[in-house]
Amino acid sequence: MAENTAAREAYYAKVAKLDVSPLWTTRLVPPRPEDQVRSVAHLWDFDDVIRPALLEAGGLITAQEANRRVLSLENPGLGGSHRVLESLYAGVQMILPGECAPAHKHSPAALRFILEGQGDAWTAVAGEKSVMRPGDFIITPSDAWHDHGHDGEGPYFWLDGLDIPMVATFGPMFFDHYPADRAPQSRPSGDSMARFGANMRPVNERWTRLESPIFSYPYERSRAALEKLRTAQEWDPFAGLKLTYIDPTTGGSAMPTISTFLQLLPKGFETKTYRTTENTIFSPVEGRGRLIVGEGDKQRTFAFKPRDVVAVPCWVPHRIIADEETVLFSFSDRIAQEKLGLWREMRGNA
Ligand code: 1HN
């Protein structure tokens, strides 16, 4: 940094009043992500922390009153800015039997990953109702009306992931309440899966939206795919067996701003150290293991179990040890970074 003489200091004070600043006194573009990224790797414990905290909220406020009874995951490095990582929002939502999370829509896109519950919780997205079961991945696209309900017994919990910080960077934030609790159903349940989920599509129907027309990806099907592929023994040393959820009409990412994945790591599998520019949120579905992040004296080990949420920021080296057979759901900003030409990875310590 250049030496600050009295004359320079006086100059800086003067130009500050002109709505300009001298670039040469800043580090606007630091050399590496670690000089830029403020979020830290972090684990939110579901069973001992998030779940009881949400149950307590259940005694204080209804889903209707709260609109959405969600505890937002606040990254400790981001000072309460409602971000789980630089570019992503995440929260855990709870709904109780008989409750209504009323219909609304917004420009940020959302995903849900169902963590726990019994019986029939459901979400209605753009006029089609779908059950939500543990392990299901569900998309609520930008600007689609959606409401949630639960006709079963006991609490239902799911992970919400949204691209709110990306939308906030650009500004086009829109939010509307539907004039009634429930938005009308315009299509029967299973309609989108029948139209686009059977490796077919209606012959004269073109899908032109940016997100997948399949808005529910049941766990049973995704898990069965992993199980079948296990026999192929094509283990990626950096990821085990990892599948990404796609839009069947394009083969590309199921969502235009958030990438989503399900991966299998057999018992004893240890991935090699990997880094990527994408900001990733993991949530184990099955199995226990350890996520080891950082290097040297900054290395930390997060022991995970099903339903925990672990955030790994951009360019933080990490590896996973599966102490039991492990299935991990994850979502990241990879697809957004790819579209902007920013995404990189480093396999090993190159
Ligand atoms: C939202 O609309 C939902 O619809 C969940 O369930 C979490 C977090 C921030 C903003 C909107 C939902 C949300 C949200």
Side-chain angles (χ1 to χ4, degrees):
M1 200 78 55
E3 190 188 331
N4 278 337
T5 61
R8 285 178 185 174
E9 291 290 0
Y11 171 81
Y12 299 152
K14 188 166 90 180
V15 298
K17 299 192 183 97
L18 308 178
D19 301 318
V20 294
S21 67
L23 174 63
W24 64 90
T25 65
T26 69
R27 280 231 306 179
L28 187 58
V29 183
R32 294 285 176 272
E34 45 271 39
D35 302 316
Q36 172 70 32
V37 173
R38 290 191 298 125
S39 55
V40 294
H42 192 73
L43 180 145
W44 286 265
D45 183 311
F46 181 77
D47 288 341
D48 293 338
V49 180
I50 302 296
R51 189 181 193 281
L54 273 168
L55 285 171
E56 193 178 338
L60 295 171
I61 191 162
T62 63
Q64 181 93 34
E65 220 187 328
N67 212 277
R68 297 294 187 264
R69 193 197 287 110
V70 178
L71 287 176
S72 302
L73 305 184
E74 299 286 354
N75 191 286
L78 293 175
S81 58
H82 317 307
R83 288 177 291 167
V84 64
L85 287 168
E86 251 71 7
S87 59
L88 291 164
Y89 169 94
V92 182
Q93 182 161 175
M94 181 184 76
I95 190 164
L96 294 170
E99 282 194 325
C100 169
H104 69 204
K105 65 174 185 169
H106 35 73
S107 49
L111 67 85
R112 330 229 166 259
F113 189 73
I114 315 308
L115 299 176
E116 183 199 315
Q118 275 161 19
D120 288 347
W122 53 266
T123 182
V125 176
E128 183 179 335
K129 213 167 153 176
S130 171
V131 292
M132 296 195 278
R133 296 270 161 73
D136 293 356
F137 157 57
I138 288 168
I139 300 171
T140 307
S142 173
D143 232 14
W145 294 112
H146 55 285
D147 51 295
H148 321 301
H150 178 16
D151 304 324
E153 278 170 32
Y156 237 96
F157 300 89
W158 63 83
L159 177 65
D160 290 307
L162 288 93
D163 56 9
I164 293 170
M166 300 186 211
V167 179
T169 294
F170 295 108
M173 203 67 86
F174 294 93
F175 186 106
D176 292 285
H177 290 283
Y178 194 76
D181 279 352
R182 302 295 187 201
Q185 272 174 259
S186 52
R187 291 177 297 153
S189 295
D191 186 86
S192 63
M193 190 63 100
R195 277 173 206 273
F196 295 102
N199 291 321
M200 302 173 93
R201 69 169 165 81
V203 62
N204 290 320
E205 192 175 327
R206 292 251 165 231
W207 182 256
T208 53
R209 289 192 52 111
L210 294 179
E211 74 285 342
S212 167
I214 308 287
F215 70 97
S216 168
Y217 295 74
Y219 188 60
E220 211 173 41
R221 292 176 68 159
S222 318
R223 183 67 179 87
L226 287 175
E227 201 53 45
K228 190 74 196 173
L229 289 174
R230 169 205 295 276
T231 53
Q233 296 288 333
E234 289 159 14
W235 304 105
D236 179 336
F238 298 90
L241 173 54
K242 190 167 181 177
L243 299 179
T244 184
Y245 294 89
I246 59 159
D247 171 347
T249 68
T250 62
S253 173
M255 300 176 73
T257 53
I258 304 178
S259 296
T260 46
F261 311 93
L262 195 70
Q263 84 195 89
L264 175 72
L265 303 167
K267 183 178 166 130
F269 197 95
E270 298 191 15
T271 64
K272 293 210 166 90
T273 300
Y274 179 70
R275 19 167 119 184
T276 162
T277 54
E278 74 210 76
N279 292 281
T280 310
I281 291 90
F282 293 95
S283 185
V285 195
E286 300 174 27
R288 285 167 189 259
R290 285 163 284 162
L291 197 96
I292 297 162
V293 300
E295 297 170 310
D297 56 2
K298 283 197 187 147
Q299 183 170 295
R300 292 191 63 190
T301 298
F302 297 100
F304 62 76
K305 56 190 179 337
R307 296 173 294 282
D308 289 344
V309 181
V310 197
V312 181
C314 170
W315 217 235
V316 171
H318 59 280
R319 61 197 179 91
I320 303 167
I321 302 173
D323 294 310
E324 298 170 5
E325 172 154 305
T326 296
V327 178
L328 291 172
F329 171 78
S330 58
F331 68 96
S332 82
D333 56 10
R334 174 171 176 163
I335 186 63
Q337 289 198 28
E338 283 180 350
K339 287 173 181 174
L340 297 173
L342 297 172
W343 184 81
R344 297 189 199 186
E345 65 175 355
M346 191 191 278
R347 290 173 167 250
N349 297 313

